[in-house]
Amino acid sequence: MTTAVAATGRKPATMSQALNRALRDAMADDPAVHVLGEDVGTLGGVFRITDGLAKEFGEDRCTDTPLAEAGILGTAVGMAMYGLRPVVEMQFDAFAYPALEQLISHVSRMRNRTRGALPMPITVRVPYGGGIGGVEHHSDSSEALYMATPGLHVVTPATVADAYGLLRAAIASDDPVVFLEPKRLYWSKADWEPGRPEEVPGIGTAVVRRRGTSATLITYGPSLPVCLEAAEAATAEGWDLEVVDLRSLVPLDEETVCASVRRTGRAVVVHEATGFGGPGGELAARITERCFHHLEAPVLRVTGFDIPYPPPMLEKHHLPGVDRVLDAVARLQWEADWTSPGSDSGDSRGSASGARGVPGTQGGAR
Amino acid sequence: MTVLEQPGAYRPTPPPAWQPRTDPAPLLPDEEPYRLLGTPAADALDPELLRLLHGHLVRGRRYNTQATALTRQGRLAVYPSSTGQEACEVAAALALEERDWLFPSYRDTLAAVARGLDPVQALTLLRGDWHTGYDPHEHRVAPLATPLATQLPHAVGLAHAARLKGDDVVALAMVGDGGTSEGDFHEALNFAAVWRAPVVFLVQNNGFAISVPLSKQTAAPSLAHKAVGYGVPGRLVDGNDAPAVLEVLTEAVRRARAGGGPTLVEAVTYRLDAHTNADDATRYRSDAEVTAWRSHDPVELVERELVRRDLVDADGLAAVREAAERMAAGLRERMNEDPDLDPMELFDHVYARRTARLREQAELLRAELAAAGAADGSAHGGGREGTDR
């Protein structure tokens, strides 16, 4: 993922730079694209994601608004009604809550209310998640709220390339997109060549980030690096883990998820958001419905605790880290004594392995 | 020893002189609501304007009574009547040019109809067949908004966008006295003021937010006073005096169009009917109060003016009433037809394209409809073909 390819001009870039570039390119390509929010203009946003946009495109295109999230999103609704494509910034996850009424009562259902006459091509950028030492109300993961609201798309990049490609796709979408930006990956770097949004799979597509045969880790956003690290660590234990990056929570790419789980027979969903009523429950239910006969173990969840986001000095205990993921992987051996019914449906996960539950021999496809 | 314990040791630098940025005087509303009818100025009112308003008001009253009757017949799930407030509803529609936009609340069906909307289409939300039965672009009427004051920032955004595009479009947003307590009211006023957006806010102060009287809603001297804090002019008008409301709104629209920014207009009126057919207004207001307001009826005020100035005869009045009756009869007839609904459309407008999940659920419903159709022998059991665009 981070291999430099000098011949194609790829250079190291951070996720925040890729997001900034996506906004800049979208604004250059389409005069209807307008950025608005608190501090997005002169300051360039507290995370500098909108850096330079007001200077390049003028304050009418990148507008510092009064400090009022409902007003920011509510005026964006009217702008969209008049043919613009507003991109609003919510600054921090918990700051978006005053705008929830506009989001839920209007943005998400305006197309539906008007039988298609008033689409809402609005992108709501929400920096989310913890791990940056933010004080209270600066680290929430509220994706379940957005996922539970029909009419919204919900996407979240985990890589530099996705940050660019998904944001371009979100802005181009004729439907409202809640674009969740994993704060603690803002400064993650990769060698990346901008200006190629078409190289990135669009909204509604998951990607297998690591091929494996023993079990599938299903994750997104800030937990992707955790899962990739866990997968590397697990090799020492003889586990060959597959890692699926959802990228898009709504729509959910169930085909990629289920295909992976059918291959590996085991699944762990990993996210920072609380487990109860969280995205992992939806995934576990769906996997169980669609892949029950392929499962060798219950679908497990590794999530944040069911608590309000903790103070920063305690957040390391809350956030799912590599060890917690590996513990879950170990628990996938729960049915070690259970005898396989044999080959079940011709898939390639090698369920006939003779030493089930002994990690080193898991996965006949290797 | 602290600084405060050292006499004379603390010599604060005087702060930079603070100057108010706007003299609030020109923004403040008049002490009394602005009136035309019953004042000497009424003599100068254009007869054609009075006749136009009268026709709209009589039709509006009849529309309100007809729609209320339809709730009793079960044809409308609910109807929040604007009986007593027709002057505001009609003036809001007439103050706008064709290219302007109207942002109504759930009580403002009549304003949408006065703007030219098909009365049946305007009632679909309240009938329950679809949330919005019209294309908002056709007459530039936003969907009726049920959450209070949430449509006000939409009006600001649309007006702002229009101005950015170089169009001289004005948005007029309607809200009730209760809605002025909502955060979105504040945010919309503030955004509009800061952006100098071409927006007119019309507050119909009809005395009650369902059952809560204005005295428990606000401590402000008037709702129009709220404008001053945003740097916006507030105007107070007799909401039952149709020519006065129209004049104040027209002036506000003109000012907005000319780049003068938003205006907040408070129209003082009264809801003669209950909040909706589900409400018992006798629990929170007296008959005497209602009777007093009935003597200040917006329809009668204009009619009396026409008679006083001898601008209409008995035949003329009868003709206006007959036209209103024809409208009501047509509305009744069309509302008594059962709407032709396709359940498969439930999945059509959630997203531009159905998601896999929605395709799956559409199949479930299609199968259920087919099974039900087979059971009762109806021809259209499966609904029409879904559009998996």
Side-chain angles (χ1 to χ4, degrees), chain B residues 308-324:
Chain B
R308 184 184 74 81
R309 284 175 58 190
D310 205 17
L311 297 172
V312 71
D313 58 13
D315 286 350
L317 288 177
V320 170
R321 298 230 155 76
E322 277 165 29

Side-chain angles (χ1 to χ4, degrees), chain A residues 36-60:
Chain A
L36 61 157
E38 167 79 2
D39 300 312
V40 298
T42 307
L43 183 66
V46 294
F47 291 108
R48 304 293 182 271
I49 307 300
T50 58
D51 194 23
L53 299 180
K55 204 169 179 185
E56 186 169 346
F57 299 100
E59 290 180 14
D60 282 348

